[in-house]
Amino acid sequence: TSHKFDEMFVCDPSAEHHGFKSWDGFFTRLFREGIRPVASPDDPNVIANACESTPYNTAYGVKARDEFWIKSQPYSVIDMLAHDKLADQFVGGTIYQAFLSALSYHRWHSPVSGKIVKAFVEDGTYYSEPPFEDFTESHGALEEGETAAQGYITATATRAIIFIEADNSAIGLMAFIGVGMAEVSTCDITVKEGQHVEKGDQIGMFHFGGSTHCLMFRKGVEVHGFPKPGGEYNQPVRGEIARVKSSSQ
């Protein structure tokens, strides 16, 4: 971006530390109005990016339960959603996952307009690595840390789980999962069950470190256009991340 820091974020460049009172105050800083506009706010078939993040993976036809084995990191829907009674609806569906570095903007925004059906934090582990990683004299922990185990930690780390019933019937019930990585376990949900949110509204934030997140769609929801994994740059929060095919299309 060509914007200066104080042009992008709410701060006071004339004050000490730009007016931030703590590291976490800086970490959870806000974008200035207009810096991250909501993608096609009047088109319910356009899904907004929930986090300022780098695409990690997109998976289709995900299983209810799966094993992590021989460098594989499949998604295990029931475990990801903490055995919630709504989890079965996502078996066979689609998962999009993306990574937030420690320097990223760390607030979450609703990918759709709809009602918050359920929202809770599931306690989990710190620094857990996949079971295929053996610790021997010649092989220690992954140098990349949990960045290389993002699929695995969706079912093991502390995570915020938010179910949203989209106003768009072509989407219906979907889920957002904010996963704390490494030392991060403060997943702060800022919406309440029963609350209606508009696409792009804040729904929560991470505190104190790098993280990852998932968007989950039910089987039968025809969602497409997710960015390819990898890449050097973040996808802008609240920008278009995918589209859903409606019954009229």
Side-chain angles (χ1 to χ4, degrees):
T1 178
S2 59
H3 292 290
K4 296 179 180 178
F5 181 89
D6 57 277
E7 294 173 334
M8 292 187 67
F9 297 102
V10 176
C11 64
D12 181 0
S14 66
E16 185 179 19
H17 308 305
H18 275 56
F20 296 111
K21 302 300 183 183
S22 66
W23 161 244
D24 192 52
F26 168 77
F27 188 78
T28 57
R29 61 195 179 275
L30 289 162
F31 277 120
R32 291 194 183 276
E33 188 66 31
I35 290 294
R36 291 292 186 266
V38 178
S40 304
D42 298 322
D43 187 348
N45 294 322
V46 172
I47 297 167
N49 193 16
C51 298
E52 187 94 355
S53 50
T54 304
Y56 173 75
N57 190 30
T58 303
Y60 301 91
V62 291
K63 295 182 179 181
R65 302 293 301 274
D66 216 333
E67 295 181 357
F68 301 93
W69 192 249
I70 313 300
K71 299 296 181 184
S72 174
Q73 293 186 54
Y75 294 106
S76 193
V77 170
I78 303 299
D79 297 299
M80 292 173 70
L81 295 174
H83 297 255
D84 190 87
K85 64 181 181 180
L86 297 174
D88 286 342
Q89 298 188 44
F90 295 89
V91 175
T94 301
I95 295 175
Y96 168 74
Q97 184 175 3
F99 169 68
L100 296 77
S101 76
L103 299 179
S104 296
Y105 170 85
H106 271 74
R107 294 176 183 253
W108 323 325
H109 293 261
S110 182
V112 297
S113 295
K115 185 179 77 172
I116 305 299
V117 174
K118 198 169 189 178
F120 61 96
V121 173
E122 177 69 11
D123 290 339
T125 62
Y126 294 93
Y127 293 103
S128 179
E129 293 198 6
F132 53 70
E133 286 298 330
D134 292 330
F135 290 84
T136 65
E137 291 183 2
S138 60
H139 180 79
L142 292 171
E143 292 184 3
E144 304 91 336
E146 290 194 335
T147 303
Q150 289 184 63
Y152 166 73
I153 64 172
T154 60
T156 59
T158 297
R159 54 204 182 275
I161 300 171
I162 303 175
F163 293 98
I164 306 171
E165 180 68 35
D167 293 342
N168 184 355
S169 60
I171 300 173
L173 186 69
M174 65 161 298
F176 166 89
I177 305 180
V179 184
M181 294 178 62
E183 77 283 1
V184 180
S185 63
T186 306
C187 301
D188 185 7
I189 298 172
T190 59
V191 289
K192 297 180 179 179
E193 293 178 8
Q195 179 179 340
H196 188 276
V197 293
E198 297 297 327
K199 181 167 62 175
D201 285 355
Q202 180 181 298
I203 57 175
M205 70 191 82
F206 292 115
H207 293 265
F208 302 115
S211 313
T212 189
H213 81 287
C214 295
L215 300 181
M216 301 180 69
F217 300 88
R218 296 171 305 136
K219 182 179 181 179
V221 176
E222 296 185 57
V223 60
H224 59 88
F226 290 110
K228 294 181 180 179
E232 185 177 352
Y233 302 105
N234 283 335
Q235 298 289 319
V237 66
R238 308 209 304 176
E240 181 176 332
I241 201 69
R243 288 179 177 256
V244 65
K245 183 177 180 181
S246 67
S247 57
S248 61
Q249 291 178 311

